[in-house]
């Protein structure tokens, strides 16, 4: 079971325990979470209830990991370029605005109109876990889309918490927090001792936020946005490999420490922290938060009050209908007016299911309930609304995906090429108006792909100008550890017009595809090494490979090479004679040039 699914399951279990506990003995539930904690020495003391400690201190770590993910997406992820991010960003903004408007319209006159922040945020942990449980076949591109949208959703929710749900500001503590954040930014330049420095400064910034009136959990976000993130440098990776080889030849503690430190330093601090904290957040912090906040009292009288309460229905309608209307409606409008584009295989049918799933608002929704609503009875009704909306959204999306996926038989999945050949994007060999088109999804470390290159060359010799050949990446990293790195290196070579030469070099020596080998090949091909290394670290190169891989997943390509002949998946041997027969039997009745 993956981390996302297990985390969502633990969150669900913690929620169930909190509800059962609160209904068996609400007094003991309140007593436990109302326990006072005192932290400090002599006159320097902080006093919290256990509930406040979870929400104000421990949840800062949750928001810290959210901030790390936001920072990564802007630096090397899906939010690096507006063209890639346009559709999920605009959809996320609509998914923030429409639920809030529906909430205000339904809750008007209740005195709780200001609690509209409860319905704005999708719970990312539940979203990813639920998608893994009830989502469609090959959900990779939908998952990337929803995660990108959830990141923007989180940014909006955090901004609203800071701007709307902060009662008063104290200037001096804010100034101290700013100084602490500045120091955190410059900590990256320390040659050693960065870990303890980050830790001490982070505590100071959190305390300053606490004293300033800004919710202290936002300190986690502010700190995370200053933590450096970058793709691993090939030279750093090679240096780490060299030290590891040295340790292997002469094992001792000094070489072990050097190799371990070098390996660690080759990965950005952001990604190291995400890797370290993600299991803690998923398996401990978020379930603990649910245990402390999901203790909803449920009995006949309370349910009766909730059903009659406009606040309950404002939350349910805001999350279930508002998220769907905002996200799906905005994407439908963008598609009609051709604003932005969805990736291949990401259809409106799948977007509809993802939009239903986005109505699961849990962690931040329950968090804002405490900030926006003072009356405990109204808080309880609001929590009932959040839980009800989340259950409804999950059930509707599960039913929707089950029905919609049945309409597309498994045998039809991946039968046709999902992304048409684009000479501006693809690696194309042959004339655009060639009668036949042969597309290969392959992996530079795959020995069968190596054998297929001979067959492709023979096809090209036999058919000449009548065929165009297209290469696309389908790196099987679970079998070939260097597959993604090789594909990215080929894309970096493409930026200097050397894709074909680099591709042939990779196939000619599949046993040597380490970082140093990539640099050696680039040098042998007369490439600009500095530019090559820079392109290897670029988000665009990684995105180009990832796009091909997601296309392959959407067509359920699990083995390479996989060929498409004239847009139709080839089934059977991939020797030259078989490919030629398949090309000729599926050829269009008129030349390509006549169609255009």
């Amino acid at each position: 079971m993956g981390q996302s699914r297990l985390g969502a399951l633990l969150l669900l279990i913690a929620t169930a325990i909190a509800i059962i506990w609160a209904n068996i003995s609400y007094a003991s539930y309140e007593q436990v979470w109302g326990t006072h904690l005192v932290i400090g020495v002599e006159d320097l003391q902080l006093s919290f209830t256990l509930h406040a400690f979870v929400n104000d201190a421990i949840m800062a770590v949750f928001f810290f990991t959210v901030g790390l993910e936001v920072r990564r997406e802007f630096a090397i992820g899906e939010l690096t370029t507006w063209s890639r991010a346009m559709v999920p960003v605009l959809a996320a903004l609509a998914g923030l605005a429409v639920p809030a408007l529906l909430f205000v319209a339904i809750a008007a006159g209740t005195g709780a109109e200001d609690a509209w922040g409860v319905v704005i945020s999708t719970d990312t942990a539940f979203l990813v876990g639920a998608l893994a449980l009830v989502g469609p076949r090959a959900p990779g591109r939908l998952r990337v889309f929803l995660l990108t949208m959830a990141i923007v959703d989180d940014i909006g929710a955090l901004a609203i918490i800071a701007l709307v749900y902060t009662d008063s500001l104290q200037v001096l503590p804010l100034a101290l927090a700013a100084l602490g954040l500045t120091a955190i930014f410059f900590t990256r330049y320390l040659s050693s001792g960065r870990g303890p420095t980050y830790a001490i400064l982070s505590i100071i910034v959190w305390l300053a936020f606490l004293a300033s009136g800004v919710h202290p959990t936002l300190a986690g976000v502010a700190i995370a946005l200053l933590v450096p993130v970058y793709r691993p440098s090939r030279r750093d990776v090679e240096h780490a490999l060299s030290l590891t080889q040295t340790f292997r030849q002469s094992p001792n503690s000094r070489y072990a420490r050097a190799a371990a430190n070098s390996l660690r330093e080759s990965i950005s601090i952001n990604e190291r922290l995400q890797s370290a904290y993600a299991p803690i957040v998923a398996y401990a912090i978020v379930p603990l938060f649910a245990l402390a906040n999901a203790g909803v009292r449920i009995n006949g009288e309370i349910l009766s009050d909730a059903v009659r309460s406009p606040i309950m229905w404002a939350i349910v309608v805001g999350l279930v209908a508002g998220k769907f209307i905002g996200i799906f409606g905005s994407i439908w409008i963008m598609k009609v007016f051709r604003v932005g584009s969805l990736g291949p295989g990401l259809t409106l049918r799948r977007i509809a299911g993802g939009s239903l799933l986005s109505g699961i608002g849990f962690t931040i929704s329950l968090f804002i309930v405490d900030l926006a609503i003072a009356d405990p009875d109204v808080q309880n009704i609001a929590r009932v609304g959040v839980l009800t909306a989340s259950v409804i959204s999950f059930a509707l999306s599960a039913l929707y995906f089950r029905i919609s996926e049945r309409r597309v038989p498994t045998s039809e999945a991946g039968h046709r090429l999902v992304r048409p050949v684009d000479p501006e994007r693809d690696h194309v060999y042959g004339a655009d108006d060639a009668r036949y088109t042969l597309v290969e999804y392959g992996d530079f470390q795959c020995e069968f792909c190596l054998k297929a290159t001979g067959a492709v060359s023979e096809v090209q010799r036999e058919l000449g100008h009548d065929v165009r050949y297209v290469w696309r990446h389908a790196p099987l990293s679970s079998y070939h550890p260097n597959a993604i790195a090789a594909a990215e290196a080929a894309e970096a070579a493409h930026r200097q017009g050397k894709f074909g030469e680099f591709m042939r070099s990779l196939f000619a020596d599949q046993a040597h595809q380490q970082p140093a080998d990539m640099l050696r090949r680039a040098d042998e091909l007369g490439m600009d090494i500095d530019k090559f290394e820079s392109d290897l670290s670029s988000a665009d190169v990684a995105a180009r490979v990832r796009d091909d891989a997601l296309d392959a997943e959407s067509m359920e390509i699990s083995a390479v090479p996989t060929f498409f002949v004239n847009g139709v998946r080839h089934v059977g041997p991939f020797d030259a004679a078989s490919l030629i027969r398949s090309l000729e039997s599926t050829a269009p009745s008129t030349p390509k040039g006549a169609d255009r």
Side-chain angles (χ1 to χ4, degrees), residues 353-364:
S355 301
L356 286 172
L357 207 55
S358 298
I360 300 177
F362 192 86
T363 308
I364 292 182

Side-chain angles (χ1 to χ4, degrees), residues 91-104 116 119-120 160 322-323 326:
L93 293 176
L96 290 168
V98 174
L101 292 173
L102 288 176
F103 180 94
V104 171
W116 53 268
V119 299
I120 61 173
I160 286 166
K323 282 290 183 182

Side-chain angles (χ1 to χ4, degrees), residues 407-578:
R407 296 178 59 187
V408 183
T410 303
S411 60
E412 293 184 12
H415 178 65
R416 301 196 68 84
L417 195 66
V418 297
R419 187 196 293 270
V421 174
D422 180 359
E424 297 296 319
R425 173 192 182 275
D426 284 313
H427 304 294
V428 180
Y429 301 90
D432 290 346
D433 60 353
R435 180 172 177 78
Y436 310 117
T437 297
L438 180 65
V439 178
E440 177 183 359
Y441 280 86
D443 176 329
F444 293 124
Q445 277 201 292
C446 170
E447 59 179 303
F448 298 106
C449 294
L450 170 61
K451 293 177 181 178
T453 59
V456 170
S457 296
E458 190 174 340
V459 169
Q460 290 174 310
R461 285 194 300 270
E462 283 290 321
L463 299 180
H465 295 298
D466 283 339
V467 67
R468 62 173 177 171
Y469 167 68
V470 182
W471 168 273
R472 289 180 177 172
H473 305 288
L476 303 182
S477 55
S478 57
Y479 300 102
H480 307 134
N482 296 319
I484 293 176
E488 291 177 352
E491 287 300 326
H494 172 66
R495 295 191 163 201
Q496 297 187 44
K498 299 284 188 178
F499 183 87
E501 295 94 324
F502 205 92
M503 175 183 181
R504 287 190 289 273
S505 175
L506 287 169
F507 275 132
D509 187 8
Q510 289 184 310
H512 296 90
Q513 297 193 3
Q514 298 293 333
D517 300 315
M518 304 303 176
L519 295 175
R520 173 179 53 78
R521 287 188 173 91
D523 186 49
E524 290 172 353
L525 292 172
M527 295 166 57
D528 182 332
I529 298 299
D530 290 336
K531 175 173 170 49
F532 180 76
E533 282 199 272
S534 175
D535 288 337
L536 276 177
S537 301
S538 78
D540 288 342
V541 162
R544 175 64 178 77
V545 173
R546 184 169 63 246
D547 277 348
D548 273 4
L550 288 171
D551 291 349
E553 185 196 42
S554 71
M555 295 182 293
E556 300 187 4
I557 292 175
S558 57
V560 289
T562 293
F563 288 97
F564 287 81
V565 293
N566 302 317
V568 178
R569 191 166 186 158
H570 173 73
V571 178
F574 53 83
D575 60 279
S578 298

Side-chain angles (χ1 to χ4, degrees), residues 87-88 141 145 331 335 339-348 351 419:
V87 174
R141 197 173 291 281
F145 180 88
I331 293 175
K335 191 172 180 66
V339 177
S341 63
L342 299 174
L346 188 56
T347 61
L348 284 177
I351 290 291
R419 187 196 293 270

